[in-house]
Amino acid sequence: DAGITQSPRHKVTETGTPVTLRCHQTENHRYMYWYRQDPGHGLRLIHYSYGVKDTDKGEVSDGYSVSRSKTEDFLLTLESATSSQTSVYFCAISSGRLTDTQYFGPGTRLTVL
Amino acid sequence: EDQVTQSPEALRLQEGESSSLNCSYTVSGLRGLFWYRQDPGKGPEFLFTLYSAGEEKEKERLKATLTKKESFLHITAPKPEDSATYLCAVLHGSGNTGKLIFGQGTTLQVKP
């Protein structure tokens, strides 16, 4: 998985609770991404980062926030989890060039009851 | 609207029966087209990148091709271990803000 780990790998939580997912990389890549994967929708970009403290929104960013204080870590926070955020979340990384390949982590399965 | 469509949604083949998966796209400013393989419960695994029409890439039993409107993933004499979901994604945009748009995938099952 190209030196990418995600934690936790599985989480069950209740509606209204805050949740933070962590992505850690050992490749020193500049770009990091958070996606969600749902049946019928494929992979959709939530947020991405193009450097420490530099982040931007993707197509499904509502209800999510991110932070990147170190090159190797990218955190995704659900401020108040809802059942619609039940999904599989993938982190991806790519090096500095725009057209470089994105490599994906193993995913986190999140269930919001 | 930028869109990526994969067909068929599901494909069943007998071992050794060659076939092709299609990825059609309508995006502005195509910067690259990517193919990934995804096994159940795992993250997508990179296979190929294609950057311009006419380009082809090969890896073992897989060959990817690209035209101005679509890409094909040809599978020659598949084996059961080729069973997986194959994802196509298009990178578009300008400057440093290129983004991937994914198709919904084709689930391939190869029976022995």
Side-chain angles (χ1 to χ4, degrees), chain B residues 12-27:
Chain B
R12 285 186 177 182
L13 299 173
Q14 288 295 128
E15 185 172 2
E17 180 186 2
S18 301
S19 188
S20 297
L21 282 54
N22 178 262
C23 171
S24 63
Y25 60 90
T26 53
V27 298

Side-chain angles (χ1 to χ4, degrees), chain A residues 9 30-31 33 35 37 40-43 45 48 50 56-59 90 98-107, chain B residues 31-32 34 36 38 41-46 49 51 87 91-104:
Chain A
R9 294 294 315 278
R30 178 181 175 188
Y31 288 82
Y33 311 80
Y35 290 86
Q37 186 174 40
H41 289 279
L43 279 154
L45 181 66
Y48 68 100
Y50 47 96
D56 204 351
K57 296 178 180 180
E59 65 176 303
F90 289 100
L98 175 63
T99 53
D100 274 0
T101 299
Q102 293 184 22
Y103 295 94
F104 286 79
Chain B
R31 314 249 347 208
F34 299 79
Y36 290 86
Q38 186 173 25
K42 296 193 174 182
E45 175 189 347
F46 170 70
T49 308
Y51 291 108
L87 304 174
L91 181 67
H92 73 117
S94 60
N96 290 320
T97 59
K99 299 175 183 177
L100 278 178
I101 300 176
F102 280 85
Q104 295 188 23

Side-chain angles (χ1 to χ4, degrees), chain A residues 1-2 4-5 8 11 22 32-33 36-37 48 57 59 64 66 70-71 81-82 94 96 106 111:
Chain A
D1 291 319
I4 309 169
T5 57
K11 186 169 182 67
R22 180 183 184 233
M32 298 185 75
Y33 311 80
R36 61 178 289 174
Q37 186 174 40
Y48 68 100
K57 296 178 180 180
E59 65 176 303
Y64 301 94
V66 290
K70 298 186 290 185
T71 298
T82 67
S94 66
T111 302

Side-chain angles (χ1 to χ4, degrees), chain A residues 10-85:
Chain A
H10 301 272
K11 186 169 182 67
V12 179
T13 191
E14 294 188 351
T15 298
T17 60
V19 176
T20 295
L21 308 182
R22 180 183 184 233
C23 177
H24 178 78
Q25 59 140 332
T26 58
E27 305 296 323
N28 199 35
H29 280 0
R30 178 181 175 188
Y31 288 82
M32 298 185 75
Y33 311 80
W34 276 108
Y35 290 86
R36 61 178 289 174
Q37 186 174 40
D38 305 287
H41 289 279
L43 279 154
R44 293 178 291 173
L45 181 66
I46 305 171
H47 281 281
Y48 68 100
S49 169
Y50 47 96
V52 173
K53 299 190 187 300
D54 293 322
T55 65
D56 204 351
K57 296 178 180 180
E59 65 176 303
V60 289
S61 59
D62 287 349
Y64 301 94
S65 62
V66 290
S67 65
R68 191 169 178 200
S69 59
K70 298 186 290 185
T71 298
E72 58 265 35
D73 290 326
F74 193 32
L75 303 180
L76 177 71
T77 297
L78 290 64
E79 304 290 348
S80 177
T82 67
S83 58
S84 64
Q85 294 175 311

